[in-house]
Amino acid sequence: MMMDDDVEQASLMSFNDRPRAFPNMRSKTYSPLIFRILRKLNVRVVSIILLICFGVIFYMGASASPIILFVFTVCIFSFLLSIYLTKWVLAKDEGPPEMVQISDAIRDGAEGFFRTQYNTISKMAILLAFVILCIYLFRSLTPQQEAAGLGRAMSAYITVASFLLGALCSGIAGYVGMWVSVRANVRVSSAARRSAREALQIAVRAGGFSALVVVGMAVIGIAILYSTFYVLLGVDSPGSMSVNDLPLLLVGYGFGASFVALFAQLGGGIYTKGADVGADLVGKVEQGIPEDDPRNPAVIADLVGDNVGDCAARGADLFESIAAEIISAMILGGTMAKKCKIEDPSGFILFPLVVHSFDLVISSIGILSIKGTRDASVKSPVEDPMAVLQKGYSLTIILAVLTFGASTRWLLYTEQAPSAWFSFALCGLVGIITAYAFVWISKYYTDYKHEPVRTLALASSTGHGTNIIAGVSLGLESTALPVLVISVAIISAYWLGNTSGLVDENGIPTGGLFGTAVATMGMLSTAAYVLTMDMFGPIADNAGGIVEMSQQPESVREITDLLDAVGNTTKATTKGFAIGSAALASFLLFSAYMDEVSAFASVSFKEVDIAIPEVFVGGLLGSMLIFLFSAWACAAVGRTAQEVVNEVRRQFIERPGIMEYKEKPDYSRCVAIVASAALREMIKPGALAIASPIVVGLVFRILGYYTGQPLLGAKVVASMLMFATVCGILMALFLNTAGGAWDNAKKYIETGALGGKGSEAHKAAVTGDTVGDPFKDTAGPSIHVLIKMLATITLVMAPIFL
């Protein structure tokens, strides 16, 4: 697709002189307490403290393994690059004063909600940490922990510390995502007045900053925990814990990350879609005004929602995905090394950290490969932004294949099976191909250049009902290809791992599960670049809103509309990528759960028989959980949107001058309504997700005790986890794809197809878009987190089910 010359080189002529209504909500800038403290400290003092911290970290890393030193070094360089990207983005101009005013209002709304939301989440995290402490103080220990002299108190403190660190890092990941988006949006808007390519580059580099920090924090956080426990517990010294069992101590980190990500995704999703649906229903459908029109009282709340829902929540989501995958792969690597009696298992255990360290390197190259604007004096058609992003992704994929192969040869070579590293390299290749396939499938079903979305748009021309029917059927159909891809990936990776030549003392192949773990690492080996593409979406969306509200020329809006449409596709592809990686990671976590139950119970626990009535009921409960959770998440958006609709209608009635630009809408009132509703509504579905596996495990443990069925609680929870994962994958694929397709069908009509804006087809497409909003941005992404959180919570709570 090519753009006209006038779109690439937007005119800077003065735009119309209509009276403008801009928000003026700013009171004072908020910055977190830690930043305010750091600003007051002397620079030299801060430098000395940082040097001491780095020294301690590198000392512990060197004591644990040279591999950890490599990981630390790469992470620090990626943080330095992210600082460079930040400075580069912030050096760009913010445009005229009206743009800055709107951006300030968005920033204040986003930071205010983030502060309140994370204050609530932190209180719940501290309460849950206390519960975990009590449980671990009275639970049993594994034979390995008893032999190593690891008491209940030490085990409890380690798990709680890991949980709180995981929660803290997940929160920081979310804040980083929001911090950059609320500062980059206005700079993308300003750049769109000059050229589309410059606007694209700013949005990509802003997303790249967030992605590098999120992935780098996930990796360095686990590396620091691993090396700290290694040194403090004297791992591998006589009479102490074996290094093979060390990864089990890290499960609290994954649970803490999942816990925060779930509530961040729920709260942010309810906020953004409650505001979006409310703004669209009254503004577009009832009043017939454009999207992001400054006369709409809910427009600022909608733009704030893009940042807290898409940027902050997605940052926490991907952080949690990477943390869960790394920990589960480390556990399986340690288990396999123990079974095969490998002399130095550190390579198998630390392999996931090295893969993601290379991810930081290759994704950085991919991000920097997207060059700046061409010579402004030369007018020429611009490439489709999606094609530009795809080139960067293709480069990242090629580098991922090379670095993954090098990593397997470096870390997974063993004399016991000299060719095993090559089998595992092929497993990684399976994962990389799976990731690419998922991105392509999601793009096919959600990009309006392809037939599915155009067919959906055509259905809009015959009414609202046919649009909804076509959207639902498209979403249901879109589950088929991803499931086939996941199935082939799991079986291929398991088979390749089993043929690696690694066997236990009885000659039985043991590499199958680790092969699947390696495939998962391969799929996530480009996670930083994929997150960059995801962050690009809401930044472009916000930029379009600022352009519309500040009433820039139509040519500027055309640029931001194009970027926004591409952003919708990248968000949809990232969600497809996330659910694919969640499926593989959950499979690994399920295997890790069974290994942990075996360790605690000192009984083999390798299969779950669903022919046992109680176990089958556990599966039904797991499936029900997905549907009930989705229902509550969507209903929360509906209730929030109703409050917004009533408020916007009230303002249009009581302030008739709004439509003629004679009166200012009360933006802050809508922001307050949405923020309050989101915080209130996120509690119920979140509590359901956390309490369900614990309650089910305890109830069936008691039932098993009185009916003489040992391990019944653990078996029922395993069944619940298995069914919830399968059902959750399908539900998330349906919700994400249907929602993204509805959104882009509306965007396709807005390009002028089928009558364009204001036509009957457009009104039907807007209805479909509002139905799809809670699907793709609230319930769907929350299910990604839910299925991984179910897996991590069962790992942490496994002892109480026995």
Side-chain angles (χ1 to χ4, degrees):
M1 176 180 174
M2 309 296 277
M3 289 172 54
D4 294 330
D5 294 347
D6 63 327
V7 178
E8 162 62 10
Q9 195 64 33
S11 170
L12 296 180
M13 71 179 82
S14 61
F15 47 91
N16 58 50
D17 296 325
R18 289 180 298 176
R20 298 202 229 336
F22 299 120
N24 189 11
M25 297 163 49
R26 169 148 269 196
S27 53
K28 62 177 183 177
T29 305
Y30 167 76
S31 60
L33 177 63
I34 185 67
F35 289 174
R36 297 200 298 272
I37 292 171
L38 287 173
R39 284 194 195 112
K40 292 178 182 177
L41 292 175
N42 185 284
V43 177
R44 290 181 180 177
V45 173
V46 174
S47 302
I48 292 169
I49 292 171
L50 286 174
L51 281 173
I52 292 171
C53 290
F54 282 137
V56 171
I57 289 170
F58 272 88
Y59 167 75
M60 290 192 297
S63 302
S65 169
I67 300 168
I68 294 286
L69 282 181
F70 170 78
V71 172
F72 284 161
T73 304
V74 173
C75 287
I76 288 168
F77 274 111
S78 75
F79 292 148
L80 293 175
L81 176 61
S82 67
I83 292 170
Y84 162 75
L85 291 177
T86 311
K87 288 187 172 181
W88 187 91
V89 170
L90 295 181
K92 298 294 179 179
D93 72 285
E94 295 182 307
E98 57 266 25
M99 279 189 174
V100 177
Q101 257 187 315
I102 297 161
S103 173
D104 286 347
I106 295 168
R107 185 186 309 177
D108 288 349
E111 291 183 342
F113 176 74
F114 185 92
R115 185 165 68 251
T116 309
Q117 181 192 27
Y118 275 75
N119 186 41
T120 304
I121 294 173
S122 63
K123 289 174 183 174
M124 293 190 289
I126 291 169
L127 177 63
L128 186 56
F130 180 73
V131 172
I132 294 171
L133 179 66
C134 294
I135 289 171
Y136 269 63
L137 285 174
F138 297 100
R139 67 159 206 174
S140 59
L141 294 172
T142 66
Q144 293 90 342
Q145 289 173 338
E146 289 178 350
L150 186 66
R152 288 178 179 173
M154 178 61 78
S155 175
Y157 296 144
I158 282 174
T159 304
V160 169
S162 301
F163 171 80
L164 290 175
L165 182 63
L168 175 66
C169 290
S170 186
I172 293 171
Y175 181 76
V176 164
M178 184 211 64
W179 185 90
V180 69
S181 67
V182 296
R183 287 160 176 79
N185 51 16
V186 70
R187 291 167 169 85
V188 174
S189 303
S190 178
R193 297 177 306 143
R194 296 185 291 274
S195 84
R197 191 62 182 261
E198 184 185 353
L200 171 68
Q201 188 188 26
I202 294 172
V204 167
R205 290 199 168 190
F209 156 74
S210 177
L212 292 176
V213 172
V214 167
V215 177
M217 276 181 47
V219 174
I220 203 168
I222 293 173
I224 289 172
L225 266 186
Y226 177 90
S227 53
T228 301
F229 293 160
Y230 190 98
V231 172
L232 292 181
L233 300 176
V235 172
D236 271 353
S237 57
S240 66
M241 176 181 282
S242 165
V243 71
N244 294 316
D245 301 317
L246 183 56
L248 274 173
L249 299 178
L250 306 176
V251 293
Y253 186 86
F255 180 34
S258 300
F259 176 83
V260 170
L262 180 69
F263 282 100
Q265 189 67 70
L266 274 172
I270 293 167
Y271 186 113
T272 183
K273 292 302 116 178
D276 194 5
V277 171
D280 283 354
L281 286 177
V282 183
K284 286 185 181 177
V285 178
E286 294 181 10
Q287 298 294 331
I289 59 178
E291 185 171 0
D292 301 326
D293 191 288
R295 293 168 290 180
N296 193 328
V299 68
I300 288 291
D302 183 11
L303 294 172
V304 168
D306 292 333
N307 296 289
V308 298
D310 287 332
C311 292
R314 198 75 72 253
D317 180 1
L318 205 65
F319 174 89
E320 174 266 342
S321 290
I322 294 167
E325 176 262 327
I326 289 175
I327 291 166
S328 58
M330 290 174 78
I331 291 170
L332 292 174
T335 303
M336 188 191 70
K338 185 196 295 185
K339 287 179 181 175
C340 298
K341 297 192 177 340
I342 293 172
E343 287 184 16
D344 182 13
S346 60
F348 289 85
I349 294 170
L350 299 176
F351 181 65
L353 294 174
V354 172
V355 168
H356 285 292
S357 298
F358 278 122
D359 171 20
L360 291 167
V361 175
I362 62 177
S363 295
S364 299
I365 295 170
I367 292 163
L368 294 174
S369 72
I370 296 175
K371 302 296 183 184
T373 183
R374 291 184 290 271
D375 184 356
S377 62
V378 179
K379 285 191 174 184
S380 59
V382 70
E383 292 177 272
D384 170 20
M386 190 69 211
V388 178
L389 293 173
Q390 198 69 39
K391 283 179 183 175
Y393 185 53
S394 299
L395 173 63
T396 309
I397 286 278
I398 292 168
L399 293 173
V401 172
L402 297 175
T403 55
F404 207 95
S407 301
T408 51
R409 180 63 180 83
W410 172 27
L411 297 175
L412 303 185
Y413 178 82
T414 173
E415 294 293 340
Q416 289 171 244
S419 63
W421 71 271
F422 186 70
S423 295
F424 290 128
L426 292 178
C427 291
L429 185 61
V430 166
I432 292 169
I433 293 170
T434 302
Y436 198 85
F438 258 86
V439 169
W440 185 87
I441 292 166
S442 300
K443 182 172 175 287
Y444 174 73
Y445 277 108
T446 57
D447 193 334
Y448 63 58
K449 297 185 193 68
H450 301 292
E451 185 183 353
V453 173
R454 295 198 175 204
T455 304
L456 176 56
L458 187 62
S460 305
S461 62
T462 52
H464 300 253
T466 48
N467 170 278
I468 299 299
I469 293 168
V472 170
S473 62
L474 184 151
L476 292 170
E477 179 192 317
S478 70
T479 61
L481 282 177
V483 167
L484 292 174
V485 169
I486 290 174
S487 303
V488 170
I490 289 175
I491 292 171
S492 302
Y494 192 90
W495 182 83
L496 284 168
N498 254 358
T499 57
S500 63
L502 289 170
V503 294
D504 63 12
E505 54 191 10
N506 297 318
I508 299 171
T510 59
L513 277 176
F514 188 69
T516 312
V518 173
T520 311
M521 288 177 247
M523 188 167 186
L524 284 167
S525 63
T526 55
Y529 190 86
V530 172
L531 181 57
T532 299
M533 291 199 296
D534 184 77
M535 292 289 183
F536 165 85
I539 292 171
D541 192 356
N542 254 214
I546 292 171
V547 165
E548 182 69 39
M549 285 195 72
S550 60
Q551 299 164 3
Q552 299 296 312
E554 186 62 28
S555 55
V556 182
R557 180 69 206 196
E558 284 177 28
I559 287 178
T560 56
D561 277 350
L562 180 65
L563 294 178
D564 187 16
V566 170
N568 278 335
T569 304
T570 60
K571 284 192 289 184
T573 56
T574 307
K575 287 166 190 165
F577 175 87
I579 196 60
S581 63
L584 291 173
S586 296
F587 178 71
L588 302 182
L589 288 164
F590 180 74
S591 305
Y593 167 74
M594 297 183 80
D595 285 343
E596 188 175 12
V597 171
S598 299
F600 277 105
S602 300
V603 179
S604 179
F605 186 64
K606 292 184 177 178
E607 53 192 39
V608 179
D609 186 359
I610 61 170
I612 300 170
E614 294 88 347
V615 176
F616 183 74
V617 167
L620 281 178
L621 292 173
S623 302
M624 177 211 73
L625 173 62
I626 297 298
F627 281 86
L628 187 58
F629 177 87
S630 302
W632 285 2
C634 290
V637 173
R639 284 190 294 270
T640 305
Q642 286 171 13
E643 293 185 44
V644 176
V645 165
N646 291 333
E647 172 60 23
V648 175
R649 283 175 178 166
R650 182 192 67 78
Q651 290 198 33
F652 278 130
I653 292 168
E654 295 180 3
R655 302 182 181 191
I658 288 176
M659 289 300 291
E660 284 78 41
Y661 295 90
K662 293 176 182 176
E663 289 185 79
K664 268 191 179 183
D666 185 357
Y667 300 106
S668 58
R669 176 70 185 145
C670 285
V671 169
I673 287 172
V674 178
S676 173
L679 293 171
R680 182 178 67 248
E681 297 283 1
M682 75 179 185
I683 302 297
K684 191 167 77 166
L688 172 75
I690 293 166
S692 295
I694 298 173
V695 171
V696 168
L698 287 174
V699 168
F700 281 95
R701 175 190 176 179
I702 295 167
L703 185 63
Y705 176 78
Y706 284 107
T707 57
Q709 299 181 73
L711 298 182
L712 183 63
K715 290 175 182 176
V716 171
V717 168
S719 174
M720 182 184 190
L721 179 58
M722 190 189 310
F723 278 70
T725 300
V726 171
C727 197
I729 291 164
L730 294 171
M731 178 67 86
L733 285 169
F734 163 67
L735 294 173
N736 289 338
T737 311
W742 267 317
D743 195 348
N744 269 350
K746 178 199 69 176
K747 286 279 192 295
Y748 175 60
I749 293 172
E750 287 175 350
T751 62
L754 303 171
K757 293 182 181 180
S759 64
E760 290 303 313
H762 183 241
K763 290 176 183 176
V766 169
T767 301
D769 181 33
T770 55
V771 172
D773 275 341
F775 281 25
K776 69 181 172 66
D777 286 322
T778 307
S782 296
I783 292 174
H784 306 168
V785 187
L786 171 65
I787 61 177
K788 285 171 289 186
M789 199 199 71
L790 287 173
T792 53
I793 198 172
T794 50
L795 267 175
V796 172
M797 300 295 182
I800 68 171
F801 305 146
L802 306 177

